[in-house]
Amino acid sequence: MTGPLMADKTAVITGAAQGIGYAIAERFVAEGARVVIGDIDGAAAQAAADKLGGATVARGVRCDVTVADDVQALIDAAAESFSPVDVMVNNAGITRDATMRKMTEDQFDQVIAVHLKGTWNGTRLAGAVMRERGSGAIVNMSSLSGKIGLPGQTNYSAAKAGIVGLSKAAAKELAHLGVRVNAIQPGLIRTAMTEAMPQKVWDQKMAEIPLGRAGEIDEIATVALFLASDMSSYMTGTVLEVTGGRFM
């Protein structure tokens, strides 16, 4: 394979103003892609797009993934600015951690809506564009929490496990149309969110990781690049664990 892995491809990434989403956008641009960054914070989305190189390679759009019309507008923005979506990364997420005894119904509903319904909106609407064109790759962000279940995360674990089921079902529906759907399950990744953990909790998690360290956001971005590119052309319906071997 020669040349950039994402040359002439247009990618849409949700929750990409910062963190893992931004790292994925950065990696895609470096490989020749044009990206549309969706984020609940429109100003942050635009700032991220400017940082990536501005209007020729990136565009920022305010998007609430729980609202189908917002997601449709995000996907439409790709076609208006660059070309119809080739790669969709459903990365937007929130946490509302609490034990089941203390979790409110609203905290449960919010997390399910953003992660699960948001991913369904993105997969469904990007899939509709891709199937017409006979090609495309969808990458959905699950979590190790969806594989093993973590205390204090009945909402998040349920949503992230749901994303696996959704991805496999969608992969079966779209495979004969040339569209691939895969998922990533990150483990402990060094981000602003995880670095805010109490030291005791961090140390406890580190003890569970055979590679003996946390992952870096770019180590998720490179796996997203692999799933988005033709390097994974014979893979669909898979779940890649990027966890340093934790809970393998």
Side-chain angles (χ1 to χ4, degrees), residues 109-134:
D109 289 346
Q110 280 180 23
V111 168
I112 296 294
V114 173
H115 288 276
L116 195 50
K117 190 182 177 188
T119 297
W120 180 71
N121 278 335
T123 302
R124 174 173 67 103
L125 297 171
V129 175
M130 292 171 180
R131 64 185 295 157
E132 296 302 318
R133 307 176 76 219

Side-chain angles (χ1 to χ4, degrees), residues 137-158:
I138 297 171
V139 181
N140 292 334
M141 206 58 69
S142 177
S143 164
L144 187 58
S145 180
K147 176 188 176 180
I148 58 161
L150 289 173
Q153 292 197 321
T154 47
N155 50 4
Y156 187 81
S157 293

Side-chain angles (χ1 to χ4, degrees), residues 7 21 39 44 52 71 90 113 117 139 144 164 172 186 198 200 213 222:
D39 202 275
L52 287 169
V71 181
N90 292 300
K117 190 182 177 188
V139 181
L144 187 58
V164 171
K172 287 178 177 169
K200 194 178 126 193
R213 65 175 179 86
T222 50

